[in-house]
Amino acid sequence: MNYWLIKSEPSVYSWDDLVKEKQTIWSGVRNYAARLHLRAMKKNDELFFYHSNEDVAIVGIAKVAKEAYSDPTSETDAWVAVDVKPVRKLKTSVSLSMVKTNKKLSGMALVRISRLSVQPVTAEEWNQVLTMAGEK
DNA sequence: GCCAACGTTGGC
DNA sequence: GCCAACGTTGGC
């Protein structure tokens, strides 16, 4: 099982929207690095759902409901989408500043490659964030 | 609203 | 193949 992090601006699509909708298509990714990660996702892999721009925090856990397929919002076959569904909201959301102050998370892609919208999370990082969220 | 970081495009 | 110019993302 692998772990990932996906970003969304809450004004465009928030965690609450995902919960309301029960499942959504993660489409519109037009970045090669992000596409690589989308393609590597397996069913039931877990994802941190991150709010960018406004909330600037990891707010919940989602999982892969359907592995990568051709993105219907693209006119070519070059891009892919996955389906994700909510698992649960974190007890306490973990803000970016909290992540930055945690030395164990200094290698996290969220800190190092801030513009990447779909990124891998190691098991260590995953557990560390869960601890900060009061889940452990 | 500003700006840094990064990706993409296009001229040479 | 290099690099300047430009556009976009995202934190503050």
Side-chain angles (χ1 to χ4, degrees):
Chain A
M1 159 118 93
N2 287 306
Y3 301 108
W4 312 93
L5 180 145
I6 54 175
K7 291 183 182 176
S8 185
E9 295 186 36
S11 61
V12 178
Y13 196 88
S14 70
W15 169 259
D16 289 341
D17 292 331
L18 179 63
V19 170
K20 220 176 294 165
E21 235 188 316
K22 303 234 173 35
Q23 180 164 326
T24 195
I25 170 172
W26 211 255
S27 61
V29 173
R30 297 291 182 272
N31 173 284
Y32 292 110
R35 184 178 73 183
L36 211 66
H37 300 313
L38 282 182
R39 282 184 172 156
M41 285 182 188
K42 295 291 174 202
K43 194 172 160 72
N44 294 324
D45 274 1
E46 293 190 304
L47 315 101
F48 281 138
F49 194 98
Y50 177 83
H51 278 169
S52 64
N53 280 319
E54 286 161 52
D55 215 19
V56 199
I58 298 166
V59 294
I61 298 172
K63 70 175 182 177
V64 178
K66 188 178 175 191
E67 293 176 17
Y69 55 98
S70 183
D71 185 343
T73 69
S74 168
E75 288 182 11
T76 73
D77 296 339
W79 302 105
V80 296
V82 297
D83 287 352
V84 303
K85 56 183 176 186
V87 175
R88 66 176 188 279
K89 191 173 186 170
L90 293 179
K91 275 185 194 162
T92 317
S93 51
V94 177
S95 70
L96 180 63
S97 60
M98 284 166 70
V99 170
K100 282 184 174 168
T101 30
N102 188 331
K103 281 189 185 133
K104 290 178 187 160
L105 294 177
S106 62
M108 227 179 142
L110 188 63
V111 181
R112 292 197 355 265
I113 322 168
S114 63
R115 284 187 52 196
L116 189 58
S117 60
V118 179
Q119 44 184 260
V121 175
T122 67
E124 291 76 23
E125 289 161 356
W126 183 269
N127 288 321
Q128 192 60 37
V129 171
L130 286 187
T131 302
M132 294 170 87
E135 300 270 336
K136 295 207 162 188

